[in-house]
């Protein structure tokens, strides 16, 4: 069992943990894969003995990264002092699209205002 933990990378539905105990340790890597794969909501776990890391894919609607880390902590793979960071969440394309649309609306409004002003000036000039 590891005494220290390397980096943790967490996005919704995916965890990557660096576990020194599985580096160059095929038996340890298989044990942790079996442990993680038995957890509810886990899709799959793949340990890499060359890098000493494990990638865990899970269903975010069925489990949370915190629960997986807690199970690994209970089995001694993760020290009690290690906390899971907040997941990194990419901006949704809907939010980006909404922001882009509002910018496009603002530009279009400005263009229409300028056109109306020029037309008004042209009409006044024609009347004079």
């Amino acid at each position: 069992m590891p005494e220290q933990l390397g980096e943790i990378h967490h996005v919704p539905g995916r965890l990557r943990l660096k576990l020194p105990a599985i580096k160059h340790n095929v038996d340890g890597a298989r044990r942790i894969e079996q442990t993680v794969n038995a957890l509810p909501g886990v899709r799959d776990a793949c340990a890499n003995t060359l890098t000493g890391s494990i990638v865990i894919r899970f269903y975010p609607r069925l489990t949370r990264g915190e629960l997986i880390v807690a199970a690994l902590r209970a089995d001694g793979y993760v020290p009690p002092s290690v906390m899971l960071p907040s997941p990194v969440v990419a901006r949704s394309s809907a939010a980006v699209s909404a922001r882009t649309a509002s910018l496009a609306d603002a530009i279009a409004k400005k263009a229409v205002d300028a056109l109306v002003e020029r037309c008004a000036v042209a009409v006044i000039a024609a009347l004079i």
Side-chain angles (χ1 to χ4, degrees), residues 9-21:
H9 186 254
H10 181 210
V11 295
R14 184 179 177 278
L15 276 173
R16 186 187 71 229
L17 302 119
K18 292 259 187 170
L19 302 171

Side-chain angles (χ1 to χ4, degrees), residues 17-24 48-54:
L17 302 119
K18 292 259 187 170
L19 302 171
I22 65 172
K23 191 165 189 170
H24 306 297
N48 184 326
T49 58
L50 185 62
T51 62
S53 66
I54 184 166

